[in-house]
Amino acid sequence: MKKELTIFMGLFLFLAIGMHFKEWISHPIDHLMGLPSAGAYGIGAFHPLVFTVALYVVFVLLRGIVRLFSK
């Protein structure tokens, strides 16, 4: 469970910094404070979690397929 949480948090940070690098470098507090009014694809403030969960599911599926064929 700890390993999976570490992977999830790593993906979250990778996506957050990768997609909003300029904002995290120039004004990170303002960026966090603007999250409740975010309107990314109609998802709103939960868009970082939604996108992270989506990528995590793809990652888990790929890992499962590799594990299935490696046996």
Side-chain angles (χ1 to χ4, degrees):
M1 182 73 175
K2 186 176 179 182
K3 178 183 172 185
E4 297 301 317
L5 186 60
T6 303
I7 291 170
F8 185 82
M9 290 305 295
L11 281 173
F12 182 82
L13 290 173
F14 176 75
L15 289 174
I17 293 171
M19 296 303 292
H20 303 286
F21 184 74
K22 184 176 156 187
E23 289 83 3
W24 283 110
I25 297 299
S26 62
H27 49 279
I29 301 299
D30 292 336
H31 188 63
L32 284 174
M33 298 305 282
L35 192 58
S37 63
Y41 303 107
I43 301 170
F46 294 107
H47 75 274
L49 292 176
V50 171
F51 294 143
T52 304
V53 167
L55 187 64
Y56 180 74
V57 167
V58 170
F59 180 74
V60 167
L61 288 173
L62 288 174
R63 223 171 47 179
I65 291 170
V66 168
R67 189 175 300 165
L68 181 69
F69 285 116
S70 67
K71 287 186 176 183

